Amino acid sequence: MALSGALLLTGVTAGTAASLYNVAKVAVDVTAKDAVVARDTGMAEAEMRAWDILVDRLVPPHARSRVQAFTHDEIQGLVAGVAIGKEEGSDTRYVAVLDVRFDPYAVRRFLASRSIPFGEDQASSISILPVLLQRDRVARDEGAEWQRAWERLDLANGVAPATLVTPRDDLDARTIRELQAGEESAYAALRSAYGYGGLVVATGETVDGVFRTHLAGEDAAGPINAVVTSAVDRHDLEKTLDEAARGALATLETRWKQRLDMAVDEASAVIDQRGALFPDHGSEGAGAPLGRVGAVVEFSTVRDWQRIRFSLQRVAGLNDFTVETLDARAASVRFDFDGSADVLQALLAQYGVALYERDGTLVLRTR
């Protein structure tokens, strides 16, 4: 069978708006005892791969080690839908490219309930110009393969979104070398030719048996001039280029995540005062819902107060928020929350709001 462009109507459609919680272009190739088992296994494998990609997007590098290996049964309920971009198979094989969409509310609760910090900040979109050099000339035919390797990546939904631009016929290796050497005039000329805004030229070439991707220009994190190396598979050009493109994109994403104030643990540093509302993990009452509680909001500016209030109103599961008193530096508020204090703490941290306990009272303030 061959079902090119078919759509699995499970809550996601082709053309879904870009989102951190959408993971597109997940390729699977599964062989099993029959077509049904192969397809089911392939779908499950795609969801697990998509989950790993999503975790890499959301969880800051310093906290990645906290994420354990979850089973498909644990994460299946977080999937909102799957779309099929390409699908084909036989009596025993299933090959497909799938888009997996996760439920943001469910994922936030899932991570927060396990005290896993996460962030949702996306960089502003940039342009990426893939160029392949061979013997100090811009390769055209092989360069098209390099372009296609980037097209197979999910550039729209990550923390460092990008659009691809195609090398023009007048692009020469000299301009690329000048850019790599830090010549501002070369970058200005390229930006003029390929559109203003952030532009990164991803120059690939094989040097001494290693594939080097030289990233030069400016992304959302600032000026970049970095080299990423990867292995060369002499028998599989597509595999070589795919791995190189993935490594280069990962470098851009890491730059953005490191630039962000994603160190949610900073919020926890002030919070290590635990009491009745924050029972120690493993003790009786740990993880119990807060229910109806009061809290004190501390702030130094009206803007801080508005930020905390807005954040509280955005937290899923937090209801009946009321302000009881308000003065120039503090407010008394009350609300219902159907999760534990630890969960609320993690959910608020993504908005830059710290939650801790002081003398049996919840206290909120901006970090």
Side-chain angles (χ1 to χ4, degrees):
M1 90 182 151
L3 300 175
S4 178
L7 180 66
L8 179 63
L9 297 176
T10 59
V12 62
T13 59
T16 299
S19 164
L20 283 175
Y21 292 91
N22 296 341
V23 181
K25 303 180 182 180
V26 181
V28 292
D29 186 344
V30 174
T31 300
K33 64 179 182 179
D34 60 48
V36 174
V37 174
R39 190 174 191 273
D40 289 346
T41 304
M43 288 285 181
E45 184 176 305
E47 291 176 358
M48 291 301 294
R49 288 187 186 178
W51 169 251
D52 288 339
I53 293 170
L54 180 65
V55 167
D56 281 338
R57 288 178 182 173
L58 299 179
V59 178
H62 78 278
R64 190 64 176 84
S65 60
R66 297 189 193 181
V67 184
Q68 66 186 63
F70 297 107
T71 66
H72 183 247
D73 287 342
E74 288 177 295
I75 67 98
Q76 191 172 20
L78 308 178
V79 176
V82 179
I84 299 174
K86 295 179 181 178
E87 183 183 59
E88 60 183 64
S90 65
D91 291 341
T92 59
R93 190 180 179 197
Y94 180 71
V95 181
V97 177
L98 307 171
D99 296 352
V100 181
R101 180 166 62 88
F102 290 91
D103 180 342
Y105 170 83
V107 172
R108 292 181 190 120
R109 299 282 298 196
F110 183 86
L111 294 175
S113 67
R114 289 156 178 79
S115 299
I116 299 172
F118 61 96
E120 297 179 308
D121 292 289
Q122 272 185 304
S124 56
S125 185
I126 64 168
S127 297
I128 295 177
L129 173 63
V131 178
L132 194 70
L133 292 186
Q134 288 182 336
R135 302 182 186 86
D136 272 337
R137 67 176 182 83
V138 175
R140 301 301 174 185
D141 293 339
E142 295 85 349
E145 293 295 330
W146 182 224
Q147 181 92 12
R148 282 190 281 272
W150 283 88
E151 291 171 354
R152 286 189 285 270
L153 298 175
D154 181 10
L155 296 176
N157 298 300
V159 296
T163 56
L164 293 180
V165 289
T166 304
R168 293 167 33 164
D169 291 339
D170 59 353
L171 180 63
D172 57 33
R174 179 179 177 181
T175 302
I176 299 300
R177 295 303 188 200
E178 289 174 349
L179 172 67
Q180 294 172 345
E183 293 286 342
E184 293 184 6
S185 58
Y187 182 59
L190 287 167
R191 281 185 55 174
S192 176
Y194 294 94
Y196 290 96
L199 171 68
V200 172
V201 179
T203 305
E205 59 182 325
T206 302
V207 179
D208 297 328
V210 175
F211 194 89
R212 300 171 74 252
T213 305
H214 196 138
L215 301 170
E218 185 174 5
D219 63 1
I224 180 173
N225 198 322
V227 175
V228 183
T229 60
S230 54
V232 172
D233 188 328
R234 298 187 181 185
H235 305 290
D236 194 336
L237 175 62
E238 182 175 301
K239 180 181 178 181
T240 296
L241 298 181
D242 281 349
E243 290 184 356
R246 280 196 298 269
L249 179 60
T251 297
L252 297 176
E253 292 177 336
T254 299
R255 277 169 52 84
W256 175 250
K257 290 199 288 186
Q258 289 176 338
R259 177 184 180 278
L260 290 172
D261 183 17
M262 290 182 65
V264 179
D265 283 345
E266 292 177 7
S268 300
V270 236
I271 301 179
D272 266 346
Q273 308 169 38
R274 307 185 71 90
L277 297 174
F278 280 93
D280 289 329
H281 296 293
S283 65
E284 185 177 353
L290 282 175
R292 187 73 177 172
V293 293
V296 173
V297 179
E298 297 178 342
F299 52 88
S300 56
T301 66
V302 173
R303 185 175 181 179
D304 283 342
W305 159 240
Q306 292 173 338
R307 176 181 174 184
I308 295 173
R309 181 173 181 171
F310 177 70
S311 300
L312 285 167
Q313 292 170 333
R314 290 185 66 188
V315 169
L318 192 151
N319 302 301
D320 297 330
F321 173 79
T322 58
V323 179
E324 297 187 329
T325 64
L326 176 65
D327 59 36
R329 291 291 180 268
S332 296
V333 301
R334 191 168 290 276
F335 52 81
D336 285 315
F337 185 63
D338 58 12
S340 68
D342 285 312
V343 171
L344 181 58
Q345 181 186 97
L347 290 171
L348 287 171
Q350 67 172 310
Y351 300 115
V353 177
L355 172 71
Y356 63 102
E357 185 175 351
R358 181 197 298 146
D359 299 327
T361 301
L362 290 179
V363 180
L364 299 94
R365 67 181 183 212
T366 55
R367 291 194 285 126

